[in-house]
Amino acid sequence: MNRGLEISSAAADSPRSTVLAQVRNGVSVRMAALYLLLSGDSREAAPMPGTARSDKESN
């Protein structure tokens, strides 16, 4: 995050701001993605919540 260029300090430090949590979570997500890519793991991704269809819905 570039304070003053991408976002003002007032907005970044606001009690309603989620920027710091997003930055913190983004690091973990990028590390996990790199680990899976570099390790050659071929597992399929889990379905996104709300997108999985049950057997009853598909009939």
Side-chain angles (χ1 to χ4, degrees):
M1 165 175 57
N2 293 319
R3 291 174 187 265
L5 294 175
E6 298 174 335
I7 187 170
S8 70
S9 292
D13 296 331
S14 166
R16 296 178 57 194
S17 175
T18 60
V19 173
L20 297 179
Q22 291 173 344
V23 169
R24 191 170 37 251
N25 292 334
V27 171
S28 299
V29 169
R30 287 189 296 277
M31 288 176 63
L34 283 172
Y35 172 81
L36 291 174
L37 288 169
L38 296 174
S39 70
D41 193 335
S42 61
R43 292 181 287 178
E44 290 186 31
M48 296 291 290
T51 61
R53 296 179 61 163
S54 67
D55 290 337
K56 290 180 184 178
E57 292 175 338
S58 62
N59 291 335

